[in-house]
Amino acid sequence: MTVGEPLPPRPPDLSRLLEPLIRHGVDFVLIGGMAGLAQGSNYPSYDLDIVYSRGQDNIARMVAALKELDVRVRGAPPELEFVLDERTIENGTNFTFVTPFGDLDVLGDVAGLKGFDELAAAAEEKQIAGFSILVASIDHLIAMKRAANRPKDRNMLEEYLVIAERRQQKAGGDGAG
């Protein structure tokens, strides 16, 4: 690495990002690269992506957690004021934040999904950074990657399809043995 070259991204501190969300009782499902890792992917992830329930009580809990995380809008000029309150979250849907613990994407709407309830119903409970949280199913991760259709998503999609196929073979028995 040479002088002036940007540092490579670093993974988020999952325990520091998840703890306030869990302590405040926020209803969310882990998606994105971290969910992919939890489902067996080998692709690294440099942020934490969640889909949250849009219910008013949940939004209030999420705002309290986000305030503790000292979030700032990613990519916004530092002088731009961002009012973090229930009204802001209710009037918006998807937010990308920077925190002292890493990047956090808080999404109320995701391409490829009908909504939070569908995602949560199929999610799997997994241990992440010492917490038991809901993680998007491999089928939902596949649907999201297909809908996003960016080059990096297409690469990850191929791996997710292999993971799903192997699980299906294992569950159905492949006759070997």
Side-chain angles (χ1 to χ4, degrees), residues 29 39 119 122-124 135-142 144 167:
V29 176
Q39 293 289 7
L119 180 66
E124 302 168 30
V135 175
S137 70
I138 193 70
D139 291 338
H140 278 139
L141 290 174
I142 289 168
M144 287 181 264
R167 287 186 184 176

Side-chain angles (χ1 to χ4, degrees), residues 2-23:
T2 61
V3 176
E5 194 174 315
L7 293 172
R10 64 181 172 86
D13 183 336
L14 295 179
S15 64
R16 297 290 296 267
L17 289 172
L18 290 169
E19 192 277 333
L21 295 168
I22 291 164
R23 184 168 29 83

